[in-house]
Amino acid sequence: MRVRVLTTLAYRFHEPTEIIAKFQVAHALGQTLVSEQLTLNPATRLIETTDPTDGSRTLRGKTAHELRIEYAAVVDIVPRIAIPANAPQTRWSDLPADALRYLLPSRYCPSDKFGRFVARAFPAPMSGGARVAAILDWIHRNIDYQFGVSTHETTAEETFVDRAGVCRDFAHLAITLCRAANIPARAVAVYAEGLVPQDFHAVIEVFVAGSWWLVDPTRLAPINGLVRIAAGRDAADIAFLTTNIGAELVWLSVDVATVVPAIAA
Amino acid sequence: MRVRVLTTLAYRFHEPTEIIAKFQVAHALGQTLVSEQLTLNPATRLIETTDPTDGSRTLRGKTAHELRIEYAAVVDIVPRIAIPANAPQTRWSDLPADALRYLLPSRYCPSDKFGRFVARAFPAPMSGGARVAAILDWIHRNIDYQFGVSTHETTAEETFVDRAGVCRDFAHLAITLCRAANIPARAVAVYAEGLVPQDFHAVIEVFVAGSWWLVDPTRLAPINGLVRIAAGRDAADIAFLTTNIGAELVWLSVDVATVVPAIAA
Amino acid sequence: MRVRVLTTLAYRFHEPTEIIAKFQVAHALGQTLVSEQLTLNPATRLIETTDPTDGSRTLRGKTAHELRIEYAAVVDIVPRIAIPANAPQTRWSDLPADALRYLLPSRYCPSDKFGRFVARAFPAPMSGGARVAAILDWIHRNIDYQFGVSTHETTAEETFVDRAGVCRDFAHLAITLCRAANIPARAVAVYAEGLVPQDFHAVIEVFVAGSWWLVDPTRLAPINGLVRIAAGRDAADIAFLTTNIGAELVWLSVDVATVVPAIAA
Amino acid sequence: MRVRVLTTLAYRFHEPTEIIAKFQVAHALGQTLVSEQLTLNPATRLIETTDPTDGSRTLRGKTAHELRIEYAAVVDIVPRIAIPANAPQTRWSDLPADALRYLLPSRYCPSDKFGRFVARAFPAPMSGGARVAAILDWIHRNIDYQFGVSTHETTAEETFVDRAGVCRDFAHLAITLCRAANIPARAVAVYAEGLVPQDFHAVIEVFVAGSWWLVDPTRLAPINGLVRIAAGRDAADIAFLTTNIGAELVWLSVDVATVVPAIAA
């Protein structure tokens, strides 16, 4: 499937500041960047690096008092399949070394606290695929998708108690429970074709049967229309903008659509 | 300086379990592994990987009901110097890409919550070196080194309130305040020559003036006698043993001593 | 001083609900209720009780889908004086029995966690009055009065870390530090003449030299223009409305003014 | 039933300190104090007050460097019955005024966070008795009784996540869920005949059908052998010793037994 992404982000800063920005389409397995265009207003020198482990791209530099980012990309996405129910949990010895960090607790995902709950609610023996499915079903049955009940400081522990949140909270809770079940899991920022209303979206990836698999714990966006931006241990790692002073987001729009390919003559 | 490390770790497990172990001397800048010897009882097949970004080594495998680890190493350490007071804070654009993650909050280091405190207590303009020194001085004046007041779940936020802890808590608080001051900081597990009583020790590394610098927030061990084992975002990443069920530590001894080199005849 | 209070509160409820309301002027030492008038729309049967220990008044009953409360009162307030610097800390044995609960931690005031900080920052020997003054000065120097950084779930521990908040957060932190210093302290909801903008206000009372003393940790309202509504262990106890389902506050206005007494002819 | 209580508590203090002690049998409905004897070594002047709302007794005074408390009591207990399943939830308007505080969140019982969980797990319509029973059943099925996983700072929120704890944690979680279901609930310290091993015990009281009912969320002690000591919002209020510096408990023994009445000749 070919997808077109348009996004505009506009920020105001109290003073010129250093930024770390992650909104570009990743150079990742399963998606091919066909073309892209980036406009920064005012013109700003940013340097780009790509994470060798997951293809996430990062822009860094120093801004003026304002920055308007306009970004357009065309991406081809390979069809994705759901995790097979019998996908085995990968032994730790067989994990790629750079997946190990996704077994461990992080800022918003204190998986070390959920051992007893996971052992009771999703008991072994179960395949890795069945266990992830059981975790996602539990979240779907028990957590309300609701704005205004969580903040940028909300952890998976708080969401587990409060039983409501947005995509970021669903992702954190799913990651936390998977890690507590000894399954590597990470947060993935995506553009999501078919998400209503359109916005940046947070989903997760879990490692079973020797591969990373994308899943959307909110069930709000079709898995096949997800365009990867960045992966990380949780929302702290995949923010679209990190600054060293406060920043005011004055505009954000996201527009993702499928592209009907022209018929070759 | 040449240092000899001996450590013995013995664990009992409820059932055979997968482990991730980090106790070997790292292949890191500033230290050279002269020789080492590892004995596992019962004999256990472990695979070893080395982190390309910091030289930390990881052993993985599956144990029986018990595991006794005996490890000996001889290491040469290059003399280390303290961070110069005028060492400039490195601009984010100039950081190595793999240092960026050490700017961000993690499980035990919620640096996102400390912006106002750091701005007030350690105000810019100050060089990076002076700022780190001011943070470490503040910790020394305000936090008591005390056993029994913290647990393996204690975060830097709790230590900031409770004003007491052990090496791990000192490291977490120092890391948290440095990150809140926009300085990359990470946790480092070390063998520490001269530490009384001998034990595994946790210190930190901060990135200023283009390099990582080792410092000991507890001021309990001479910086020159530190032998690096592993680095990570906080204690979650550098535990000497991670298992997927509970483990009982039945023996731990650490013995680090300087080696007087034989006079060449 | 004679003060006139007018307040209007309008709520919408998902369904008819039980309420506990506390907005009436208390029958307390130091203030005399001259007259009052309460209008409920729609008419609603509420029962009133008065707390014998502090004069707080509580209304209870069951509402329809909406409730509009209009309340007017005229109150005479005795001039209040600041806590004398040499006011001695009252021995626990000499406290009134109903003051004991205000020594203990509560929902938003985990005073049990602040022992070391208080011992270091406000060390004995100091009189009770001087200790309270030192605590209030510390808060004034270290905490920013700022909207939007705290929620109704924010505890004094979080405010101590975040270093910003509103009147409720200032009250919670002041109460917490006083209790950690073994001084009874409680939250007091007040109408505040001279507060800009006009709103319900939260201040505290501390027990030294054998009496409760009103103080405003925010320093935003003159102590002499405070009209007591209710006292409690923290904000949970003095909310102006508690319901057993969610409620939507659709209107709130507060108007407090001094009354110029007519000259007796 | 006639029960004999013997308890010995010995403390060492860094320096002479004020204490608040609660270990005496309460003057409460349903139990009659037949006789008691208190020995303090060294002799210490303590003043006693009784809470008019629940009969809890409090001793206050100043100690030397050590204090050994020996307390013996004989108590007659009226047989208690379990809460009838059809006991109606009491309307807030019909609650005694001093029960209102037990609807609200407290230090270890943040009931304000559990609204959605309670609404989903124990949905109305259900009688008050049935709802309390459902909450207690849920706790019995989901929480492990286990030493060493909680501390004196553990809240019901943490126990809800961790799924294990001791009597105090069971009490806090049960109280929290009942309050979130709009049912007044409080912590009660008791001597418990038949508890193995013998120790101070924490249970709860809930208010339904116009009365307070004692229940033991741990199900470890027979309800008929409970001797009330003190009631409060949570463990903070019913500690057997509160001091204003640290105290070292050097001895604690509790011995509770039924007394076989002599046959009247």
Side-chain angles (χ1 to χ4, degrees):
Chain A
M1 180 164 59
R2 178 160 292 186
V3 169
R4 172 189 53 69
V5 171
L6 298 174
T7 190
T8 302
L9 291 161
Y11 288 95
R12 203 170 289 138
F13 308 103
H14 298 296
E15 50 185 283
T17 181
E18 294 191 279
I19 63 165
I20 299 173
K22 298 181 183 177
F23 56 81
Q24 298 166 289
V25 170
H27 295 306
L29 262 180
Q31 66 187 29
T32 305
L33 182 58
V34 177
S35 68
E36 68 178 349
Q37 188 173 356
L38 174 61
T39 310
L40 302 174
N41 194 343
T44 304
R45 202 179 72 83
L46 298 179
I47 68 158
E48 181 181 329
T49 49
T50 300
D51 186 313
T53 69
D54 66 15
S56 301
R57 296 155 72 196
T58 300
L59 291 170
R60 283 181 279 167
K62 187 153 188 187
T63 69
H65 279 85
E66 291 184 331
L67 182 62
R68 183 180 179 87
I69 299 168
E70 291 181 0
Y71 177 70
V74 174
V75 196
D76 283 341
I77 316 172
V78 166
R80 296 189 180 97
I81 57 170
I83 308 173
N86 63 352
Q89 196 157 329
T90 303
R91 291 179 55 143
W92 286 2
S93 315
D94 298 334
L95 291 174
D98 53 33
L100 291 181
R101 80 182 85 152
Y102 298 113
L103 282 170
L104 300 171
S106 58
R107 170 70 178 90
Y108 301 109
C109 300
S111 47
D112 51 307
K113 299 185 176 182
F114 285 83
R116 251 180 300 264
F117 170 71
V118 162
R120 194 186 303 256
F122 315 108
M126 228 193 275
S127 72
R131 220 161 183 205
V132 170
I135 286 171
L136 294 171
D137 278 349
W138 186 92
I139 288 176
H140 184 68
R141 284 198 316 277
N142 286 283
I143 311 294
D144 296 336
Y145 192 90
Q146 197 172 326
F147 286 95
V149 298
S150 56
T151 73
H152 64 282
E153 290 196 351
T154 301
T155 66
E157 184 176 14
E158 292 169 298
T159 301
F160 181 75
V161 171
D162 192 30
R163 304 278 156 141
V166 294
C167 64
R168 161 197 169 108
D169 305 305
F170 276 68
H172 286 159
L173 185 51
I175 289 168
T176 300
L177 298 181
C178 288
R179 289 183 191 163
N182 300 311
I183 298 170
R186 64 188 182 190
V188 185
V190 293
Y191 294 109
E193 192 273 330
L195 181 68
V196 179
Q198 296 226 330
D199 200 347
F200 282 91
H201 196 42
V203 298
I204 73 165
E205 251 177 347
V206 297
F207 196 97
V208 291
S211 298
W212 286 107
W213 302 76
L214 266 179
V215 284
D216 179 357
T218 68
R219 302 189 179 178
L220 292 178
I223 201 76
N224 262 323
L226 302 181
V227 177
R228 295 173 63 96
I229 303 169
R233 287 168 77 157
D234 57 30
D237 289 3
I238 60 171
F240 43 83
L241 195 81
T242 303
T243 62
N244 59 23
I245 59 165
E248 187 192 350
L249 177 62
V250 292
W251 181 261
L252 182 158
S253 68
V254 172
D255 179 3
V256 186
T258 53
V259 175
V260 181
I263 296 167
Chain B
M1 177 165 62
R2 177 160 292 187
V3 169
R4 173 190 51 69
V5 171
L6 300 173
T7 189
T8 301
L9 291 160
Y11 288 95
R12 202 169 291 139
F13 308 103
H14 298 295
E15 49 185 285
T17 181
E18 293 191 280
I19 63 165
I20 299 174
K22 298 181 183 177
F23 57 80
Q24 297 165 291
V25 170
H27 295 305
L29 263 181
Q31 66 187 30
T32 304
L33 183 59
V34 177
S35 67
E36 67 179 348
Q37 189 172 357
L38 174 61
T39 310
L40 301 175
N41 195 341
T44 305
R45 201 180 71 85
L46 298 179
I47 68 158
E48 181 181 327
T49 49
T50 300
D51 186 314
T53 69
D54 67 16
S56 301
R57 296 155 74 195
T58 300
L59 292 170
R60 283 182 279 167
K62 186 152 188 190
T63 69
H65 279 86
E66 291 185 331
L67 181 63
R68 184 181 179 87
I69 299 167
E70 292 181 358
Y71 177 70
V74 174
V75 196
D76 284 341
I77 315 173
V78 166
R80 296 190 180 95
I81 58 170
I83 307 174
N86 63 352
Q89 197 156 332
T90 303
R91 290 178 57 143
W92 287 1
S93 316
D94 298 335
L95 291 173
D98 53 33
L100 292 181
R101 81 183 85 151
Y102 298 112
L103 282 170
L104 300 171
S106 58
R107 171 69 179 91
Y108 301 109
C109 300
S111 48
D112 50 307
K113 298 185 177 183
F114 285 83
R116 251 181 300 265
F117 170 71
V118 161
R120 195 187 300 258
F122 316 108
M126 228 193 274
S127 72
R131 221 160 181 205
V132 171
I135 287 170
L136 295 170
D137 279 349
W138 186 92
I139 289 175
H140 184 67
R141 284 197 316 276
N142 286 283
I143 310 294
D144 296 336
Y145 193 89
Q146 198 171 326
F147 286 95
V149 297
S150 57
T151 72
H152 64 284
E153 290 196 350
T154 301
T155 67
E157 184 176 13
E158 292 169 300
T159 301
F160 181 75
V161 171
D162 192 31
R163 304 279 156 140
V166 294
C167 64
R168 161 197 169 107
D169 305 304
F170 276 67
H172 286 159
L173 185 51
I175 290 167
T176 300
L177 298 181
C178 288
R179 288 183 192 163
N182 299 311
I183 297 170
R186 64 188 183 190
V188 185
V190 293
Y191 294 108
E193 192 274 329
L195 182 68
V196 179
Q198 295 226 331
D199 200 346
F200 282 90
H201 195 42
V203 299
I204 72 165
E205 249 177 348
V206 296
F207 197 98
V208 291
S211 298
W212 286 108
W213 303 76
L214 266 180
V215 284
D216 179 356
T218 67
R219 302 187 179 179
L220 292 177
I223 201 75
N224 262 324
L226 302 182
V227 177
R228 294 172 64 96
I229 303 169
R233 286 168 76 157
D234 57 30
D237 290 3
I238 61 171
F240 43 85
L241 194 82
T242 303
T243 62
N244 59 22
I245 59 164
E248 188 193 349
L249 177 63
V250 293
W251 181 261
L252 183 158
S253 69
V254 172
D255 179 5
V256 185
T258 52
V259 175
V260 181
I263 296 167
Chain C
M1 181 165 57
R2 179 159 292 186
V3 168
R4 173 190 52 69
V5 171
L6 299 174
T7 188
T8 302
L9 290 161
Y11 288 93
R12 203 169 288 140
F13 308 103
H14 299 296
E15 50 185 283
T17 181
E18 293 190 279
I19 63 165
I20 299 173
K22 297 181 184 177
F23 56 82
Q24 297 165 290
V25 169
H27 295 307
L29 263 181
Q31 66 186 30
T32 305
L33 183 58
V34 177
S35 67
E36 69 179 345
Q37 187 173 0
L38 173 61
T39 311
L40 301 175
N41 195 339
T44 305
R45 203 180 71 85
L46 298 179
I47 69 158
E48 181 182 327
T49 47
T50 300
D51 186 315
T53 68
D54 67 15
S56 301
R57 297 156 72 196
T58 300
L59 292 171
R60 284 180 279 166
K62 187 154 188 187
T63 69
H65 279 86
E66 290 185 332
L67 182 63
R68 183 180 179 87
I69 299 167
E70 291 181 1
Y71 178 70
V74 174
V75 196
D76 284 339
I77 316 174
V78 166
R80 297 190 180 97
I81 57 170
I83 307 173
N86 62 352
Q89 196 155 331
T90 303
R91 290 178 58 143
W92 286 2
S93 317
D94 298 333
L95 291 174
D98 53 32
L100 291 181
R101 80 184 85 153
Y102 299 112
L103 282 169
L104 300 171
S106 59
R107 170 70 178 90
Y108 301 109
C109 300
S111 47
D112 51 307
K113 298 185 177 183
F114 284 83
R116 252 181 299 265
F117 171 71
V118 162
R120 194 187 301 257
F122 316 108
M126 228 193 275
S127 72
R131 221 161 182 205
V132 170
I135 287 170
L136 294 171
D137 280 348
W138 186 91
I139 289 175
H140 184 69
R141 284 197 316 276
N142 285 284
I143 310 294
D144 297 337
Y145 192 88
Q146 197 170 326
F147 286 95
V149 298
S150 57
T151 73
H152 64 284
E153 292 196 348
T154 301
T155 67
E157 183 176 15
E158 293 168 298
T159 301
F160 181 75
V161 171
D162 193 29
R163 305 276 155 144
V166 295
C167 63
R168 161 196 169 107
D169 305 304
F170 276 68
H172 286 159
L173 185 51
I175 290 166
T176 301
L177 298 181
C178 288
R179 289 184 192 162
N182 300 312
I183 298 170
R186 62 187 183 191
V188 184
V190 294
Y191 294 108
E193 190 275 329
L195 180 69
V196 180
Q198 297 225 331
D199 200 347
F200 283 91
H201 195 43
V203 300
I204 73 165
E205 250 177 348
V206 298
F207 196 99
V208 293
S211 299
W212 286 108
W213 303 76
L214 266 180
V215 284
D216 179 355
T218 68
R219 303 189 178 178
L220 292 177
I223 200 75
N224 262 322
L226 302 182
V227 177
R228 296 172 63 95
I229 303 168
R233 286 169 76 158
D234 57 30
D237 289 3
I238 60 171
F240 42 86
L241 196 81
T242 302
T243 62
N244 59 22
I245 59 164
E248 187 191 350
L249 177 62
V250 293
W251 181 262
L252 183 158
S253 68
V254 173
D255 179 5
V256 186
T258 53
V259 174
V260 181
I263 295 168
Chain D
M1 179 165 58
R2 178 160 293 187
V3 168
R4 172 191 52 69
V5 170
L6 299 173
T7 188
T8 302
L9 290 161
Y11 288 94
R12 202 170 291 139
F13 308 103
H14 298 296
E15 50 186 282
T17 180
E18 293 190 279
I19 62 166
I20 299 173
K22 298 181 184 177
F23 57 82
Q24 297 165 291
V25 170
H27 295 306
L29 263 181
Q31 66 186 29
T32 304
L33 183 58
V34 178
S35 67
E36 68 179 349
Q37 188 174 357
L38 173 61
T39 310
L40 300 175
N41 195 339
T44 305
R45 202 180 70 86
L46 299 179
I47 68 157
E48 180 181 328
T49 48
T50 301
D51 186 315
T53 68
D54 67 15
S56 301
R57 297 157 71 196
T58 300
L59 291 171
R60 283 180 278 165
K62 188 154 187 186
T63 69
H65 280 86
E66 291 184 332
L67 182 62
R68 183 181 179 86
I69 299 167
E70 291 181 359
Y71 177 71
V74 175
V75 196
D76 283 341
I77 317 173
V78 166
R80 295 189 182 98
I81 58 169
I83 307 173
N86 62 352
Q89 196 156 331
T90 303
R91 291 178 58 144
W92 287 2
S93 316
D94 298 333
L95 291 174
D98 53 32
L100 291 181
R101 80 184 84 153
Y102 299 112
L103 282 169
L104 300 171
S106 59
R107 170 71 178 88
Y108 301 109
C109 301
S111 47
D112 51 307
K113 299 185 177 184
F114 285 83
R116 252 181 299 266
F117 171 71
V118 162
R120 195 187 302 259
F122 315 108
M126 227 192 276
S127 72
R131 220 161 183 206
V132 170
I135 287 170
L136 294 170
D137 280 347
W138 186 92
I139 289 175
H140 184 68
R141 284 197 316 277
N142 286 283
I143 311 294
D144 297 337
Y145 193 88
Q146 197 171 326
F147 286 95
V149 297
S150 57
T151 73
H152 65 282
E153 291 197 350
T154 301
T155 67
E157 184 176 14
E158 293 169 298
T159 301
F160 181 75
V161 171
D162 193 30
R163 305 278 156 141
V166 295
C167 63
R168 161 196 170 108
D169 305 304
F170 276 68
H172 286 159
L173 185 52
I175 290 167
T176 300
L177 298 181
C178 287
R179 290 184 192 163
N182 299 311
I183 297 170
R186 62 187 184 191
V188 184
V190 293
Y191 294 107
E193 191 274 329
L195 181 68
V196 179
Q198 296 226 331
D199 200 347
F200 283 91
H201 195 41
V203 300
I204 72 165
E205 249 177 348
V206 296
F207 196 97
V208 292
S211 299
W212 287 107
W213 302 76
L214 266 180
V215 284
D216 179 356
T218 68
R219 303 188 178 178
L220 293 177
I223 201 75
N224 262 324
L226 301 182
V227 177
R228 296 172 64 96
I229 304 169
R233 288 170 74 158
D234 57 30
D237 289 4
I238 60 171
F240 42 85
L241 195 81
T242 302
T243 62
N244 59 22
I245 59 164
E248 188 191 351
L249 178 63
V250 294
W251 180 261
L252 183 158
S253 68
V254 172
D255 179 4
V256 185
T258 53
V259 175
V260 181
I263 295 168

